[in-house]
């Protein structure tokens, strides 16, 4: 591996925490954000796409290509999280229109081009429902060896957040998640062919929260800092009111932080299956924590995070933005 920045493609549904993930990827000198693709999830696809473009404008990176992907889950109607992120998906900051439109090609074509043309295998990061990533599994098998690894924010070993059993990103499109996890293998492991998969779930991200004091620290730090502060004003307020928590988990930014600092998140190889049948447990990531099934591990699953280190990293990197 060279010392050149790691090529990354981020598939997302911004979303407050997706927005911060994009900003962190742009801010880190060790990451070369080659492209951003969008998916329907937190809000509808036109809004997640507009938000991705807005965020890239905010960090002066209108050169990073953006393409819109799937506008609905594979086998279900779209359910959004507008109650949490607002109808626009980025409640809080003034809704400024982006300077450009997304590319006129679907996300899967941009992903194909990026994988094909990159100088080295590309790290894929997915922070929304896995609808586009299931397309990558099914439609780009000839390019799987061009994927260095896939890191997702989604799932939980224990409790869910959107239902008692399921985390939002997996619950929205469990059939897509099933395809992705069925193609997964443990990073650096010897459990066979597949896409090296890391699952950053709620055990990790519920520890990765920021509060009002962090919003205050960002305010006045240039236009990007002001934008993050206004995102946090809404997002922290929502979590305080709805859950009584001191702050808001910045779920999606943990995926990028994990790439920047591999010692941040503690992971363990596990077999993860996706529930696609049960009404009560739809979208549950059934993670074999104690190896009771005999099934081979298909992912590295996050179990914890050094929160202080995460917060320090986030504040430092975002502080370098314009
Ligand atoms: C996930 O759901 C979305 O609302 C967030 O953006 C994050 O990706 C957390 O469950
Ligand atoms: Ca998200």
């Amino acid at each position: 591996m060279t010392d050149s920045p790691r090529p990354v493609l981020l598939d997302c549904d911004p979303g407050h925490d997706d927005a911060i993930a994009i900003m962190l990827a742009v801010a880190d000198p060790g990451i070369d954000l080659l492209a951003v693709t969008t998916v329907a999830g937190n809000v509808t696809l036109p809004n997640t796409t507009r938000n991705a473009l807005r965020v890239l404008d905010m960090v002066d990176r209108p050169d990073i290509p953006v393409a819109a992907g799937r506008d609905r889950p594979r086998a279900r109607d779209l359910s959004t999280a507008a109650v949490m992120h607002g109808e626009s998906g980025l409640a809080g900051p003034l809704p400024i229109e982006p300077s450009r439109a997304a590319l006129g090609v679907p996300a899967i074509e941009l992903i194909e081009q990026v994988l094909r043309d990159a100088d080295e295998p590309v790290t894929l990061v997915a922070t929304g429902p896995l609808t586009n990533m299931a397309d990558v599994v099914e439609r780009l098998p000839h390019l799987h060896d061009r994927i260095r690894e896939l890191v997702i924010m989604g799932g939980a070993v224990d409790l869910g957040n959107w239902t008692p059993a399921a985390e939002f990103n997996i619950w929205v499109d469990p059939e897509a998640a099933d395809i992705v996890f069925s193609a997964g293998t443990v990073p650096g492991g010897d459990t066979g062919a597949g896409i090296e998969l890391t699952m950053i779930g709620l055990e990790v991200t519920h520890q990765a929260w920021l509060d009002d004091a962090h919003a205050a620290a960002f305010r006045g730090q240039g236009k990007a800092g002001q934008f993050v502060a206004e995102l946090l004003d809404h997002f922290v307020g929502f979590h305080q009111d709805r859950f009584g928590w001191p702050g808001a988990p910045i779920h999606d930014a943990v995926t990028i932080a994990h790439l920047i600092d591999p010692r941040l998140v503690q992971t363990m190889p596990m077999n993860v299956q996706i529930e696609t049948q049960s009404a009560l447990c739809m979208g549950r990531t059934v993670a074999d924590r104690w190896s009771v099934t005999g099934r081979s591990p298909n992912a590295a699953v996050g179990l914890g995070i050094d929160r202080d280190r995460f917060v320090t990293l986030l504040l430092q990197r975002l502080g370098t933005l314009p």
Side-chain angles (χ1 to χ4, degrees):
M1 210 49 64
T2 65
D3 284 342
S4 56
R6 172 201 286 239
V8 171
L9 181 146
L10 176 54
D11 183 69
C12 56
D13 63 338
H16 293 70
D17 50 335
D18 303 81
I20 295 173
I22 294 173
M23 296 173 90
L24 180 59
V26 167
D28 187 75
I31 289 180
D32 182 10
L33 185 60
L34 298 179
V36 172
T37 53
T38 56
V39 66
N42 280 325
V43 286
T44 61
L45 185 68
N47 282 349
T48 59
T49 306
R50 185 182 304 117
N51 292 341
L53 293 162
R54 276 178 67 193
V55 173
L56 289 169
D57 279 349
M58 183 57 59
V59 293
D60 293 344
R61 292 301 306 272
D63 56 304
I64 294 177
V66 174
R70 293 286 185 179
D71 68 355
R72 68 197 66 189
R74 293 177 76 92
R76 300 164 190 274
D77 292 337
L78 175 65
S79 292
T80 71
V83 65
M84 179 182 289
H85 297 272
E87 284 300 327
S88 75
L90 287 184
L94 277 179
I96 299 167
E97 280 302 306
S99 63
R100 59 180 169 141
L103 298 177
V105 297
I108 191 69
E109 288 186 25
L110 178 59
I111 297 170
E112 180 173 25
Q113 182 194 331
V114 164
L115 292 177
R116 207 184 46 222
D117 296 349
D119 294 334
E120 59 182 280
V122 176
T123 297
L124 302 182
V125 176
T127 61
L130 293 170
T131 324
N132 293 339
M133 291 299 106
D135 282 347
V136 170
V137 171
E138 288 190 337
R139 294 173 57 181
L140 304 179
H142 54 294
L143 291 172
H144 287 184
D145 65 347
R146 304 288 301 153
I147 300 171
R148 174 167 164 182
E149 61 175 318
L150 168 59
V151 179
I152 71 151
M153 189 282 130
V157 175
D158 296 325
L159 303 178
N161 60 355
W162 211 251
T163 75
E167 181 278 332
F168 177 77
N169 287 338
I170 307 298
W171 178 82
V172 168
D173 196 345
E175 284 76 16
D178 185 29
I179 289 168
V180 170
F181 277 85
S182 296
T185 190
V186 177
D190 54 6
T191 50
I195 296 173
E196 299 198 357
L197 179 61
T198 298
M199 167 179 138
I200 308 276
L202 299 177
E203 283 69 30
V204 179
T205 66
H206 277 174
Q207 297 178 46
W209 49 271
L210 298 182
D211 62 18
D212 290 326
H214 300 111
F218 280 115
R219 218 178 308 280
Q221 274 193 27
K223 64 174 179 169
Q226 183 65 25
F227 184 69
V228 174
E230 290 170 7
L231 289 175
L232 290 178
D233 288 343
H234 171 86
F235 210 44
V236 170
F238 175 86
H239 285 82
Q240 288 170 342
D241 295 346
R242 172 67 181 80
F243 301 110
W245 293 351
I250 315 299
H251 305 276
D252 295 338
V254 179
T255 56
I256 302 294
H258 169 67
L259 301 183
I260 297 170
D261 179 355
R263 287 180 303 161
L264 197 60
V265 175
Q266 298 88 49
T267 64
M268 189 180 152
M270 287 183 216
N271 181 275
V272 181
Q273 304 285 316
I274 309 297
E275 176 58 63
T276 60
Q277 302 297 325
S278 145
L280 268 181
C281 295
M282 185 64 68
R284 179 162 182 76
T285 41
V286 180
D288 187 5
R289 171 81 171 80
W290 305 114
S291 304
V292 293
T293 64
R295 299 183 197 118
S296 296
N298 57 354
V301 176
L303 289 174
I305 184 171
D306 183 333
R307 181 200 173 231
D308 289 345
R309 205 169 157 131
F310 168 73
V311 171
T312 302
L313 184 145
L314 201 55
L315 294 178
Q316 192 279 328
R317 294 299 199 279
L318 295 185
T320 66
L321 288 169

